[in-house]
PDB file of all heavy atoms in Angstrom:
ATOM      1  N   THR X  38       8.497 -18.566  -6.806  1.00 97.00           N
ATOM      2  CA  THR X  38       9.891 -18.469  -6.342  1.00 97.00           C
ATOM      3  C   THR X  38      10.199 -17.136  -5.706  1.00 97.00           C
ATOM      4  O   THR X  38      11.118 -17.035  -4.883  1.00 97.00           O
ATOM      5  CB  THR X  38      10.889 -18.733  -7.500  1.00 97.00           C
ATOM      6  OG1 THR X  38      10.634 -17.770  -8.552  1.00 97.00           O
ATOM      7  CG2 THR X  38      10.709 -20.131  -8.075  1.00 97.00           C
ATOM      8  N   ARG X  39       9.462 -16.084  -6.098  1.00 97.00           N
ATOM      9  CA  ARG X  39       9.720 -14.746  -5.564  1.00 97.00           C
ATOM     10  C   ARG X  39       8.488 -13.901  -5.752  1.00 97.00           C
ATOM     11  O   ARG X  39       7.787 -14.000  -6.746  1.00 97.00           O
ATOM     12  CB  ARG X  39      10.887 -14.082  -6.259  1.00 97.00           C
ATOM     13  CG  ARG X  39      11.205 -12.670  -5.773  1.00 97.00           C
ATOM     14  CD  ARG X  39      12.481 -12.127  -6.411  1.00 97.00           C
ATOM     15  NE  ARG X  39      12.412 -12.086  -7.843  1.00 97.00           N
ATOM     16  CZ  ARG X  39      13.466 -11.936  -8.653  1.00 97.00           C
ATOM     17  NH1 ARG X  39      14.675 -11.812  -8.149  1.00 97.00           N
ATOM     18  NH2 ARG X  39      13.293 -11.915  -9.987  1.00 97.00           N
ATOM     19  N   TYR X 195      13.175 -14.595   5.076  1.00 98.00           N
ATOM     20  CA  TYR X 195      13.174 -14.541   3.611  1.00 98.00           C
ATOM     21  C   TYR X 195      12.528 -13.257   3.115  1.00 98.00           C
ATOM     22  O   TYR X 195      12.335 -13.074   1.929  1.00 98.00           O
ATOM     23  CB  TYR X 195      12.485 -15.774   3.050  1.00 98.00           C
ATOM     24  CG  TYR X 195      13.052 -17.065   3.602  1.00 98.00           C
ATOM     25  CD1 TYR X 195      12.237 -18.015   4.190  1.00 98.00           C
ATOM     26  CD2 TYR X 195      14.410 -17.277   3.574  1.00 98.00           C
ATOM     27  CE1 TYR X 195      12.754 -19.161   4.734  1.00 98.00           C
ATOM     28  CE2 TYR X 195      14.957 -18.450   4.118  1.00 98.00           C
ATOM     29  CZ  TYR X 195      14.138 -19.375   4.715  1.00 98.00           C
ATOM     30  OH  TYR X 195      14.664 -20.495   5.251  1.00 98.00           O
ATOM     31  N   TYR X 211       9.975 -11.181  -1.200  1.00 98.00           N
ATOM     32  CA  TYR X 211       9.933 -12.403  -0.409  1.00 98.00           C
ATOM     33  C   TYR X 211      10.462 -13.511  -1.291  1.00 98.00           C
ATOM     34  O   TYR X 211       9.862 -13.858  -2.325  1.00 98.00           O
ATOM     35  CB  TYR X 211       8.506 -12.724   0.066  1.00 98.00           C
ATOM     36  CG  TYR X 211       8.529 -13.778   1.168  1.00 98.00           C
ATOM     37  CD1 TYR X 211       8.891 -13.447   2.474  1.00 98.00           C
ATOM     38  CD2 TYR X 211       8.228 -15.104   0.876  1.00 98.00           C
ATOM     39  CE1 TYR X 211       8.920 -14.401   3.463  1.00 98.00           C
ATOM     40  CE2 TYR X 211       8.280 -16.063   1.866  1.00 98.00           C
ATOM     41  CZ  TYR X 211       8.620 -15.700   3.141  1.00 98.00           C
ATOM     42  OH  TYR X 211       8.688 -16.667   4.145  1.00 98.00           O
ATOM     43  N   GLU X 212      11.617 -14.071  -0.910  1.00 98.00           N
ATOM     44  CA  GLU X 212      12.314 -15.051  -1.760  1.00 98.00           C
ATOM     45  C   GLU X 212      13.199 -15.946  -0.896  1.00 98.00           C
ATOM     46  O   GLU X 212      13.894 -15.489  -0.003  1.00 98.00           O
ATOM     47  CB  GLU X 212      13.154 -14.302  -2.783  1.00 98.00           C
ATOM     48  CG  GLU X 212      13.915 -15.204  -3.751  1.00 98.00           C
ATOM     49  CD  GLU X 212      14.726 -14.417  -4.785  1.00 98.00           C
ATOM     50  OE1 GLU X 212      15.107 -13.261  -4.465  1.00 98.00           O
ATOM     51  OE2 GLU X 212      14.978 -14.956  -5.847  1.00 98.00           O
ATOM     52  N   VAL X 213      13.143 -17.209  -1.170  1.00 98.00           N
ATOM     53  CA  VAL X 213      14.016 -18.194  -0.465  1.00 98.00           C
ATOM     54  C   VAL X 213      15.316 -18.322  -1.241  1.00 98.00           C
ATOM     55  O   VAL X 213      15.275 -18.523  -2.473  1.00 98.00           O
ATOM     56  CB  VAL X 213      13.307 -19.552  -0.358  1.00 98.00           C
ATOM     57  CG1 VAL X 213      14.228 -20.577   0.342  1.00 98.00           C
ATOM     58  CG2 VAL X 213      11.988 -19.452   0.364  1.00 98.00           C
ATOM     59  N   PRO X 214      16.473 -18.208  -0.574  1.00 96.00           N
ATOM     60  CA  PRO X 214      17.724 -18.292  -1.301  1.00 96.00           C
ATOM     61  C   PRO X 214      17.891 -19.647  -1.975  1.00 96.00           C
ATOM     62  O   PRO X 214      17.424 -20.668  -1.506  1.00 96.00           O
ATOM     63  CB  PRO X 214      18.773 -18.096  -0.187  1.00 96.00           C
ATOM     64  CG  PRO X 214      18.048 -17.453   0.941  1.00 96.00           C
ATOM     65  CD  PRO X 214      16.629 -17.925   0.855  1.00 96.00           C
ATOM     66  N   ALA X 215      18.558 -19.602  -3.100  1.00 93.00           N
ATOM     67  CA  ALA X 215      18.902 -20.867  -3.798  1.00 93.00           C
ATOM     68  C   ALA X 215      19.726 -21.760  -2.883  1.00 93.00           C
ATOM     69  O   ALA X 215      20.561 -21.284  -2.106  1.00 93.00           O
ATOM     70  CB  ALA X 215      19.649 -20.558  -5.086  1.00 93.00           C
ATOM     71  N   GLY X 216      19.513 -23.044  -2.971  1.00 92.00           N
ATOM     72  CA  GLY X 216      20.253 -23.983  -2.152  1.00 92.00           C
ATOM     73  C   GLY X 216      19.547 -24.428  -0.906  1.00 92.00           C
ATOM     74  O   GLY X 216      19.999 -25.332  -0.208  1.00 92.00           O
ATOM     75  N   LYS X 217      18.423 -23.770  -0.562  1.00 96.00           N
ATOM     76  CA  LYS X 217      17.682 -24.164   0.636  1.00 96.00           C
ATOM     77  C   LYS X 217      16.908 -25.467   0.415  1.00 96.00           C
ATOM     78  O   LYS X 217      16.489 -26.103   1.383  1.00 96.00           O
ATOM     79  CB  LYS X 217      16.745 -23.060   1.063  1.00 96.00           C
ATOM     80  CG  LYS X 217      17.406 -21.841   1.690  1.00 96.00           C
ATOM     81  CD  LYS X 217      17.993 -22.180   3.046  1.00 96.00           C
ATOM     82  CE  LYS X 217      16.922 -22.442   4.085  1.00 96.00           C
ATOM     83  NZ  LYS X 217      17.479 -22.684   5.442  1.00 96.00           N
ATOM     84  N   GLY X 218      16.658 -25.827  -0.845  1.00 95.00           N
ATOM     85  CA  GLY X 218      15.902 -27.045  -1.114  1.00 95.00           C
ATOM     86  C   GLY X 218      14.437 -26.869  -1.223  1.00 95.00           C
ATOM     87  O   GLY X 218      13.699 -27.848  -1.389  1.00 95.00           O
ATOM     88  N   PHE X 219      13.970 -25.645  -1.075  1.00 98.00           N
ATOM     89  CA  PHE X 219      12.542 -25.359  -1.264  1.00 98.00           C
ATOM     90  C   PHE X 219      12.356 -23.935  -1.762  1.00 98.00           C
ATOM     91  O   PHE X 219      13.303 -23.134  -1.753  1.00 98.00           O
ATOM     92  CB  PHE X 219      11.741 -25.601   0.021  1.00 98.00           C
ATOM     93  CG  PHE X 219      12.106 -24.667   1.171  1.00 98.00           C
ATOM     94  CD1 PHE X 219      11.398 -23.476   1.395  1.00 98.00           C
ATOM     95  CD2 PHE X 219      13.149 -24.982   2.033  1.00 98.00           C
ATOM     96  CE1 PHE X 219      11.707 -22.643   2.431  1.00 98.00           C
ATOM     97  CE2 PHE X 219      13.473 -24.155   3.091  1.00 98.00           C
ATOM     98  CZ  PHE X 219      12.785 -22.963   3.268  1.00 98.00           C
ATOM     99  N   VAL X 220      11.151 -23.572  -2.180  1.00 98.00           N
ATOM    100  CA  VAL X 220      10.888 -22.239  -2.718  1.00 98.00           C
ATOM    101  C   VAL X 220       9.677 -21.669  -1.940  1.00 98.00           C
ATOM    102  O   VAL X 220       9.094 -22.295  -1.097  1.00 98.00           O
ATOM    103  CB  VAL X 220      10.577 -22.271  -4.216  1.00 98.00           C
ATOM    104  CG1 VAL X 220      11.816 -22.712  -4.993  1.00 98.00           C
ATOM    105  CG2 VAL X 220       9.393 -23.158  -4.556  1.00 98.00           C
ATOM    106  N   VAL X 221       9.338 -20.401  -2.280  1.00 98.00           N
ATOM    107  CA  VAL X 221       8.214 -19.733  -1.624  1.00 98.00           C
ATOM    108  C   VAL X 221       6.961 -20.580  -1.695  1.00 98.00           C
ATOM    109  O   VAL X 221       6.193 -20.696  -0.755  1.00 98.00           O
ATOM    110  CB  VAL X 221       7.986 -18.343  -2.250  1.00 98.00           C
ATOM    111  CG1 VAL X 221       6.724 -17.704  -1.643  1.00 98.00           C
ATOM    112  CG2 VAL X 221       9.196 -17.445  -2.015  1.00 98.00           C
ATOM    113  N   ILE X 224       6.168 -23.020   1.106  1.00 98.00           N
ATOM    114  CA  ILE X 224       5.829 -22.521   2.468  1.00 98.00           C
ATOM    115  C   ILE X 224       4.293 -22.496   2.589  1.00 98.00           C
ATOM    116  O   ILE X 224       3.558 -22.206   1.641  1.00 98.00           O
ATOM    117  CB  ILE X 224       6.400 -21.118   2.640  1.00 98.00           C
ATOM    118  CG1 ILE X 224       7.923 -21.182   2.562  1.00 98.00           C
ATOM    119  CG2 ILE X 224       5.947 -20.486   3.973  1.00 98.00           C
ATOM    120  CD1 ILE X 224       8.604 -19.786   2.551  1.00 98.00           C
TER     121      ILE X 224
END
Side-chain angles (χ1 to χ4, degrees):
T38 57
R39 178 174 60 194
Y195 308 126
Y211 194 77
E212 181 179 26
V213 178
K217 287 291 291 183
F219 65 93
V220 295
V221 173
I224 298 172

